[in-house]
mmCIF file of all heavy atoms in Angstrom:
data_model
loop_
_atom_site.group_PDB
_atom_site.id
_atom_site.type_symbol
_atom_site.label_atom_id
_atom_site.label_comp_id
_atom_site.label_asym_id
_atom_site.label_seq_id
_atom_site.Cartn_x
_atom_site.Cartn_y
_atom_site.Cartn_z
ATOM 1 N N GLU R 3 -21.908 12.361 -19.862
ATOM 2 C CA GLU R 3 -21.621 10.928 -19.916
ATOM 3 C C GLU R 3 -20.208 10.673 -19.404
ATOM 4 O O GLU R 3 -19.290 11.455 -19.671
ATOM 5 C CB GLU R 3 -21.762 10.436 -21.360
ATOM 6 C CG GLU R 3 -21.578 8.938 -21.503
ATOM 7 C CD GLU R 3 -21.971 8.459 -22.886
ATOM 8 O OE1 GLU R 3 -23.073 8.836 -23.336
ATOM 9 O OE2 GLU R 3 -21.179 7.732 -23.501
ATOM 10 N N PRO R 4 -19.999 9.573 -18.637
ATOM 11 C CA PRO R 4 -18.655 9.250 -18.142
ATOM 12 C C PRO R 4 -17.651 9.182 -19.287
ATOM 13 O O PRO R 4 -17.951 8.687 -20.372
ATOM 14 C CB PRO R 4 -18.849 7.878 -17.483
ATOM 15 C CG PRO R 4 -20.291 7.818 -17.131
ATOM 16 C CD PRO R 4 -20.998 8.593 -18.200
ATOM 17 N N ASP R 5 -16.432 9.674 -19.012
ATOM 18 C CA ASP R 5 -15.418 9.794 -20.057
ATOM 19 C C ASP R 5 -14.170 9.023 -19.650
ATOM 20 O O ASP R 5 -13.592 9.261 -18.587
ATOM 21 C CB ASP R 5 -15.091 11.268 -20.266
ATOM 22 C CG ASP R 5 -14.137 11.493 -21.425
ATOM 23 O OD1 ASP R 5 -13.727 10.508 -22.061
ATOM 24 O OD2 ASP R 5 -13.797 12.656 -21.671
ATOM 25 N N SER R 6 -13.724 8.101 -20.513
ATOM 26 C CA SER R 6 -12.529 7.313 -20.219
ATOM 27 C C SER R 6 -11.258 8.152 -20.295
ATOM 28 O O SER R 6 -10.200 7.734 -19.828
ATOM 29 C CB SER R 6 -12.428 6.143 -21.193
ATOM 30 O OG SER R 6 -12.312 6.622 -22.529
ATOM 31 N N GLN R 7 -11.351 9.341 -20.867
ATOM 32 C CA GLN R 7 -10.167 10.189 -21.046
ATOM 33 C C GLN R 7 -9.576 10.626 -19.706
ATOM 34 O O GLN R 7 -8.377 10.925 -19.617
ATOM 35 C CB GLN R 7 -10.524 11.422 -21.885
ATOM 36 C CG GLN R 7 -9.339 12.293 -22.268
ATOM 37 C CD GLN R 7 -8.315 11.536 -23.114
ATOM 38 O OE1 GLN R 7 -8.680 10.699 -23.939
ATOM 39 N NE2 GLN R 7 -7.033 11.819 -22.901
ATOM 40 N N HIS R 8 -10.393 10.674 -18.658
ATOM 41 C CA HIS R 8 -9.887 11.082 -17.342
ATOM 42 C C HIS R 8 -8.752 10.166 -16.893
ATOM 43 O O HIS R 8 -7.748 10.628 -16.335
ATOM 44 C CB HIS R 8 -11.014 11.051 -16.304
ATOM 45 C CG HIS R 8 -12.055 12.106 -16.512
ATOM 46 N ND1 HIS R 8 -11.878 13.411 -16.123
ATOM 47 C CD2 HIS R 8 -13.290 12.038 -17.062
ATOM 48 C CE1 HIS R 8 -12.961 14.116 -16.432
ATOM 49 N NE2 HIS R 8 -13.833 13.297 -16.994
ATOM 50 N N MET R 9 -8.910 8.861 -17.106
ATOM 51 C CA MET R 9 -7.881 7.907 -16.681
ATOM 52 C C MET R 9 -6.628 8.047 -17.532
ATOM 53 O O MET R 9 -5.505 7.959 -17.017
ATOM 54 C CB MET R 9 -8.426 6.475 -16.767
ATOM 55 C CG MET R 9 -7.560 5.449 -16.035
ATOM 56 S SD MET R 9 -7.624 5.710 -14.242
ATOM 57 C CE MET R 9 -6.182 4.789 -13.702
ATOM 58 N N THR R 10 -6.820 8.285 -18.822
ATOM 59 C CA THR R 10 -5.674 8.488 -19.705
ATOM 60 C C THR R 10 -4.882 9.722 -19.276
ATOM 61 O O THR R 10 -3.649 9.697 -19.215
ATOM 62 C CB THR R 10 -6.134 8.635 -21.162
ATOM 63 O OG1 THR R 10 -6.856 7.468 -21.548
ATOM 64 C CG2 THR R 10 -4.946 8.817 -22.090
ATOM 65 N N THR R 11 -5.578 10.804 -18.984
ATOM 66 C CA THR R 11 -4.918 12.030 -18.537
ATOM 67 C C THR R 11 -4.170 11.797 -17.230
ATOM 68 O O THR R 11 -3.042 12.276 -17.052
ATOM 69 C CB THR R 11 -5.946 13.163 -18.361
ATOM 70 O OG1 THR R 11 -6.607 13.395 -19.603
ATOM 71 C CG2 THR R 11 -5.277 14.440 -17.880
ATOM 72 N N PHE R 12 -4.800 11.058 -16.339
ATOM 73 C CA PHE R 12 -4.145 10.753 -15.054
ATOM 74 C C PHE R 12 -2.836 10.004 -15.289
ATOM 75 O O PHE R 12 -1.802 10.329 -14.680
ATOM 76 C CB PHE R 12 -5.075 9.926 -14.166
ATOM 77 C CG PHE R 12 -4.416 9.432 -12.908
ATOM 78 C CD1 PHE R 12 -4.269 10.267 -11.815
ATOM 79 C CD2 PHE R 12 -3.928 8.137 -12.827
ATOM 80 C CE1 PHE R 12 -3.634 9.823 -10.660
ATOM 81 C CE2 PHE R 12 -3.292 7.681 -11.682
ATOM 82 C CZ PHE R 12 -3.143 8.527 -10.598
ATOM 83 N N CYS R 13 -2.855 9.016 -16.166
ATOM 84 C CA CYS R 13 -1.673 8.169 -16.392
ATOM 85 C C CYS R 13 -0.629 8.810 -17.314
ATOM 86 O O CYS R 13 0.538 8.427 -17.279
ATOM 87 C CB CYS R 13 -2.100 6.814 -16.959
ATOM 88 S SG CYS R 13 -3.015 5.810 -15.779
ATOM 89 N N ARG R 14 -1.031 9.768 -18.105
ATOM 90 C CA ARG R 14 -0.084 10.417 -19.013
ATOM 91 C C ARG R 14 0.496 11.709 -18.425
ATOM 92 O O ARG R 14 1.612 12.108 -18.766
ATOM 93 C CB ARG R 14 -0.776 10.743 -20.341
ATOM 94 C CG ARG R 14 -1.183 9.528 -21.146
ATOM 95 C CD ARG R 14 0.010 8.930 -21.880
ATOM 96 N NE ARG R 14 -0.406 7.841 -22.753
ATOM 97 C CZ ARG R 14 -0.289 6.551 -22.472
ATOM 98 N NH1 ARG R 14 0.244 6.200 -21.325
ATOM 99 N NH2 ARG R 14 -0.695 5.624 -23.311
ATOM 100 N N GLU R 15 -0.271 12.354 -17.550
ATOM 101 C CA GLU R 15 0.157 13.659 -17.055
ATOM 102 C C GLU R 15 0.207 13.741 -15.526
ATOM 103 O O GLU R 15 1.262 13.964 -14.942
ATOM 104 C CB GLU R 15 -0.777 14.749 -17.605
ATOM 105 C CG GLU R 15 -0.822 14.804 -19.138
ATOM 106 C CD GLU R 15 -1.865 15.781 -19.653
ATOM 107 O OE1 GLU R 15 -2.335 16.621 -18.851
ATOM 108 O OE2 GLU R 15 -2.223 15.706 -20.850
ATOM 109 N N VAL R 16 -0.949 13.542 -14.884
ATOM 110 C CA VAL R 16 -1.053 13.782 -13.438
ATOM 111 C C VAL R 16 -0.180 12.817 -12.641
ATOM 112 O O VAL R 16 0.599 13.223 -11.765
ATOM 113 C CB VAL R 16 -2.523 13.669 -12.983
ATOM 114 C CG1 VAL R 16 -2.629 13.874 -11.469
ATOM 115 C CG2 VAL R 16 -3.387 14.669 -13.724
#
Side-chain angles (χ1 to χ4, degrees):
E3 184 170 311
D5 185 0
S6 62
Q7 187 61 36
H8 291 281
M9 194 68 197
T10 302
T11 301
F12 173 80
C13 292
R14 293 281 185 259
E15 301 174 16
V16 178

